[in-house]
Amino acid sequence: MFPTWLTPDSVPELTAGLCTTHAPALGLVDGHSRLVHADINPKNILVTRARGGWRVDAVLDWEFSYSGSPYGDAANMVRFGADYPAGFLTGFRAAFAGHQPADLPPPGEWACLGRVLDMFALSDLVTRPAGNPVADQAAGQIRRWVADDVPDSGTSALHPPSP
């Protein structure tokens, strides 16, 4: 069962509308060909405390992986960041921005590009049965984006000034 403001027919329409609105952003990542986890979040990462911080030992749960832009994984990691410990998002964002491959768009735009890519995953998440907490969080995110647009979508490469 869908949230009352969504129906099975409205999800594709909503996604198509967001894709049309943000086509310039999608064009920026069209040529990316990297392994994308597609469900990256703290529960799928095993870490060990190491000298000076933490070390990633394993990344689990790869059944949704595909070839695409790493910005989708970054957006997935921060999607429900309010639930993470203090400092996690700041550290993740700094590390991600500081270690991007040179052939990706400017580091300042990764967050918005990732959110545009994340709308596909969110659209799928809301199809889970009623009462599913992840589906409810995804529906809330979609609701905010419909009302207020994708956060940070005013960056220059995503929406060049009108002539």
Side-chain angles (χ1 to χ4, degrees), residues 1-7 10-11 14-15 18 22 79-80 115 118-119 121-126 130-151:
M1 183 65 153
F2 284 81
T4 56
W5 64 278
L6 287 175
T7 65
S10 69
V11 171
L14 172 65
T15 303
L18 287 170
H22 298 286
R79 178 191 297 149
F80 302 132
R115 287 183 186 111
D118 197 36
M119 68 186 155
L122 290 170
S123 296
D124 183 60
L125 288 173
V126 298
N132 181 296
V134 174
D136 292 344
Q137 282 184 301
Q141 190 79 287
I142 292 171
R143 187 180 298 116
R144 285 187 293 279
W145 288 1
V146 168
D148 303 327
D149 198 15
V150 174

Side-chain angles (χ1 to χ4, degrees), residues 33-119:
S33 297
R34 290 170 173 76
L35 182 61
V36 176
H37 186 276
D39 189 23
I40 197 75
N41 57 64
K43 73 179 188 302
N44 287 330
I45 302 173
L46 296 178
V47 297
T48 300
R49 190 178 300 270
R51 184 175 297 160
W54 295 89
R55 179 186 72 232
V56 174
D57 290 327
V59 178
L60 309 173
D61 196 15
W62 288 86
E63 78 264 19
F64 299 114
S65 63
Y66 64 95
S67 177
S69 174
Y71 294 138
D73 272 348
N76 190 314
M77 181 66 86
V78 302
R79 178 191 297 149
F80 302 132
D83 298 337
Y84 301 161
F88 179 89
L89 289 180
T90 301
F92 174 79
R93 286 181 176 122
F96 187 84
H99 294 89
Q100 290 190 53
D103 64 327
L104 296 180
E109 297 176 355
W110 73 263
C112 182
L113 290 166
R115 287 183 186 111
V116 171
L117 292 169
D118 197 36
M119 68 186 155

